[in-house]
Amino acid sequence: MRDEARHALPVLVVEDDADLREAIIDTLSLAGYATLEAADGHQALACLKRELVGLVLSDAQMQPMDGYQLFAELRSRHPGIPFILMTAYGVIERAIELLRNGASHYLLKPFEPDGLITEVERHILKPRSRAEPDMVAQDASMQEVLRLASRVAVTDATVLLNGESGVGKEVVARFLHRHSMRADAPFVAVNCAAIPENLLESTLFGHEKGAFTGASTSFAGKFEQAQGGTLLLDEVSEMPLALQAKLLRVLQERELERVGGTRTLKLDVRVICTTNRVLADEVRKGTFREDLYFRINVFPLTIPPLRQRKGDIVPLAQHFLEKYAPTHKKHPVPALSAAAIEHLTGYQWNGNIRELENVMQRALILSCGESILPQDLMLQVLSPPECTAPDATPGESEGAAAPTEDDMSMHLLEKRHILDTLATVNGVRKLAAEKLGISERTLRYKLQRYREEDTAPSGAQEQSPAETLPAHQMSGEQHVCTRH
C-alpha cells in the first residue's frame, strides 16, 4: 500500500455507469485508497455534507446534474476539495475551461488504471500529521477535544472555541489551522477585546487612504491578510454590536469593502472564533446578535479548564520547565519533586494554563537545586485559601490560626508584586490579571483587601507600592480604550 493512499482522505467517485463506477472503485481500492460513491451530482453533494473527502473524481455527462454543474456547486460549497473530471475526447474544450476555473485535472476516457492512480496521488488531500511538539494533551478530556478538532479541521466550517480565559483556545485554533488544507497559508489572529472600539473596524476590514483622520495610507485589514488561510477572532463576544452587524454580512457574503472604499473584495478565509463567555446568555442579554451567534456556532468546541484535566497538569508543568530553563540558565532542567507534584495536582488553577506557565517560570527563578520544591512554586502567595471564597472576610472563621510573621511577609511580597504589575499596565485589571495568571475576580478581591488594609485605623504600616499608586489604579478604574 502506498503511503499516499494510507494517509489520504477518501476519493468520492461520481459516475452514473454502475459498471464503470465499480471498476474505478476497485482500481482505487487495490491502490489502497478509501472510496465513496455517487451516481450523480445530487448524490455527490449529499455525500459531501456527511463525509470528509480528499478528492472528487466525476464523470462529465450525467443526469440530472452533470459534472460541470457539480464542479460549480463544489467551488461554491467546498472550495478546498480537488476535482478531476472524466470526459470524452469530443468535449475536451469544456474540460479545459474547467481547468481555467480551478479544476485540478481532467482524464480522457478511456484511461489506464496507472494513469488514474498517478493523477489521484498528485491531487488528493492528505491531512497533516497529528504529532504536535508544542501540544500537551494527555488527559482524556483534551484528547477528545483534539479528536473532534481533527475531524473538523479538514473542512472549512466555522469553529467556535468556548472556554475560560487561559485554557489554550488559541493553541487549539492553531492546531485546527495546521491540520487544515490551508496549513501553508497565513494564520492571522486578532484579539477583539484588546483593540479600541474606534480602531477595530479598520483593523478587521482595512481602510482606504483618507478614510478618516490619520489614515495617510491604505491598509489591508486582518481579513485580507488571512486570504487563503485562517482568521482567528479571539474573544469575539467583546465586539461592539454595530460591528457585529458588519461581521455578519462579511461572513454571509464572503466579501467586504474597506472603510472609506467602494471596491468589493472577494474573500477565501476560514474563520475561527473564541469566547470565554456563554454566548447564548449574551444573546439573551442583548449584547450579542442572535443571527451572528448562529452564523459562528457551526461547530462548537468546549475546552475544559485545567482543574478538570488533571492528567495534563504535570506534563504541562514539565513542558514549561523545559521551555524556560535555558532562558533562566538552568542546566540540567530541574525535575519536579514528588511534593511539588502533589501541590500542583491539588491546586485549583483559576488562571488555567496561563497561571501554570507563570508559576513554573517563577519556580525556575527560585529553585536552588536539581529539583523543584513546593516552596519554589509559591502557590500560597498568589492563591491563598480565601481566594476561593471572596465573600468571606479574612479572620472571620471561628478558630482560625493567627497569621505568622512568615505569612505576613509573604502577604506583603504578594501585595507589592500585584500592585507593581498593575502599575506597569496603567491600572488595566484585565491585563494585570493576565500577567499575574489569576482571574479578574480574584484580582478585584485582593485590591479590595488592600484598600481596607490601607484605610484601617491601625499602627504604622510598612511602606508599599499602594502608598504611591494613584487611587484610580488601586480601584482598577481604566483610562485606556479597551472592552471587558
Side-chain angles (χ1 to χ4, degrees):
M1 182 185 293
R2 293 174 169 87
D3 285 342
E4 292 89 343
R6 185 167 59 247
H7 297 301
L9 294 167
V11 179
L12 174 58
V13 179
V14 190
E15 171 61 65
D16 58 354
D17 185 326
D19 291 337
L20 179 56
R21 185 169 70 246
E22 183 179 358
I24 293 172
I25 288 172
D26 287 345
T27 300
L28 293 171
S29 298
L30 287 172
Y33 288 98
T35 58
L36 299 166
E37 59 180 295
D40 58 47
H42 290 300
Q43 287 187 19
L45 292 176
C47 181
L48 287 166
K49 285 185 177 180
R50 302 187 306 267
E51 303 287 346
L52 303 177
V53 171
L55 182 143
V56 174
L57 179 65
S58 175
D59 185 27
Q61 304 298 325
M62 298 180 295
Q63 294 293 334
M65 179 185 288
D66 63 19
Y68 306 105
Q69 293 171 299
L70 174 59
F71 174 72
E73 291 293 330
L74 196 71
R75 287 284 292 173
S76 172
R77 304 184 193 187
H78 310 279
I81 299 178
F83 183 89
I84 295 178
L85 186 74
M86 300 179 290
T87 184
Y89 181 79
V91 288
I92 191 172
E93 292 82 3
R94 291 196 67 186
I96 293 173
E97 183 182 345
L98 249 63
L99 286 181
R100 294 195 184 102
N101 291 328
S104 301
H105 193 63
Y106 67 89
L107 290 169
L108 289 176
K109 294 180 178 179
F111 45 78
E112 295 296 323
D114 287 345
L116 169 65
I117 298 302
T118 297
E119 294 307 323
V120 169
E121 287 176 358
R122 279 182 56 196
H123 299 290
I124 194 167
L125 299 175
K126 296 174 279 293
R128 298 297 180 95
S129 167
R130 295 190 181 185
E132 298 290 329
D134 295 325
M135 174 71 74
V136 177
Q138 295 189 17
D139 191 90
S141 62
M142 269 309 290
Q143 289 182 357
E144 174 63 12
V145 169
L146 294 188
R147 184 187 71 81
L148 293 172
S150 297
R151 290 291 306 275
V152 73
V154 293
T155 74
D156 272 338
T158 302
V159 178
L160 177 61
L161 298 174
N162 301 277
E164 296 177 5
S165 179
V167 294
K169 296 188 288 293
E170 183 170 341
V171 173
V172 176
R174 291 182 181 276
F175 174 93
L176 287 166
H177 176 69
R178 283 196 298 270
H179 288 253
S180 75
M181 305 312 165
R182 300 173 178 268
D184 295 326
F187 176 90
V188 178
V190 54
N191 188 332
C192 299
I195 300 173
E197 183 175 331
N198 60 334
L199 294 180
L200 186 55
E201 182 177 8
S202 64
T203 298
L204 288 174
F205 307 121
H207 63 255
E208 297 293 356
K209 181 179 179 180
F212 51 83
T213 303
S216 56
T217 59
S218 296
F219 171 74
K222 298 297 184 181
F223 270 96
E224 287 182 69
Q225 294 172 32
Q227 192 73 284
T230 303
L231 176 65
L232 171 63
L233 296 177
D234 198 15
E235 303 303 348
V236 69
S237 53
E238 307 305 309
M239 184 177 291
L241 278 168
L243 200 52
Q244 290 177 28
K246 184 165 184 178
L247 174 62
L248 176 65
R249 190 187 69 79
V250 169
L251 294 179
Q252 287 176 334
E253 304 299 330
R254 294 290 168 175
E255 61 185 28
L256 62 79
E257 291 179 3
R258 291 179 179 177
V259 176
T262 56
R263 184 168 58 97
T264 298
L265 302 171
K266 293 291 184 181
L267 293 175
D268 175 21
V269 177
R270 200 262 185 89
V271 175
I272 299 173
C273 299
T274 79
T275 180
N276 58 13
R277 301 178 185 269
V278 179
L279 278 189
D281 291 345
E282 301 303 309
V283 170
R284 283 190 288 272
K285 290 189 292 186
T287 59
F288 199 83
R289 293 178 62 107
E290 184 177 37
D291 45 9
L292 178 58
Y293 170 61
F294 289 125
R295 173 62 61 176
I296 66 176
N297 196 38
V298 177
F299 196 95
L301 273 177
T302 299
I303 304 171
L306 190 55
R307 60 184 172 275
Q308 293 179 10
R309 33 196 276 222
K310 299 281 189 181
D312 283 345
I313 293 174
V314 173
L316 279 166
Q318 293 171 334
H319 167 74
F320 291 131
L321 287 176
E322 293 169 2
K323 177 179 179 180
Y324 292 108
T327 62
H328 293 289
K329 305 296 188 290
K330 297 287 185 178
H331 302 287
V333 179
L336 288 167
S337 67
I341 289 174
E342 185 177 354
H343 275 62
L344 289 169
T345 54
Y347 187 66
Q348 283 300 301
W349 299 111
N350 294 326
N352 291 298
I353 298 173
R354 186 181 294 122
E355 182 182 8
L356 176 59
E357 183 174 10
N358 291 346
V359 166
M360 300 322 297
Q361 289 188 70
R362 185 164 64 243
L364 283 168
I365 295 170
L366 296 176
S367 65
C368 297
E370 295 182 355
S371 296
I372 300 294
L373 303 176
Q375 57 265 35
D376 299 329
L377 302 173
M378 289 178 63
L379 290 179
Q380 73 278 14
V381 176
L382 288 184
S383 297
E386 62 265 29
C387 286
T388 59
D391 295 330
T393 302
E396 262 185 4
S397 301
E398 186 177 344
T404 66
E405 185 176 335
D406 286 343
D407 289 336
M408 293 303 294
S409 63
M410 292 296 277
H411 171 71
L412 290 172
L413 174 63
E414 174 199 24
K415 180 177 179 179
R416 182 174 292 112
H417 177 54
I418 286 177
L419 295 177
D420 283 346
T421 301
L422 195 61
T424 62
V425 294
N426 297 319
V428 181
R429 285 197 310 271
K430 182 179 180 68
L431 297 179
E434 290 180 357
K435 283 180 172 289
L436 291 164
I438 60 178
S439 67
E440 286 187 72
R441 184 168 178 258
T442 298
L443 179 59
R444 285 196 301 271
Y445 168 62
K446 288 180 178 294
L447 292 174
Q448 176 63 31
R449 285 182 60 202
Y450 301 156
R451 284 196 298 274
E452 292 170 357
E453 291 168 3
D454 291 344
T455 57
S458 56
Q461 297 178 334
E462 179 180 333
Q463 177 78 14
S464 77
E467 300 175 17
T468 57
L469 194 64
H472 75 270
Q473 293 188 13
M474 272 289 287
S475 65
E477 182 183 342
Q478 298 178 23
H479 291 271
V480 296
C481 194
T482 185
R483 290 179 57 84
H484 292 279

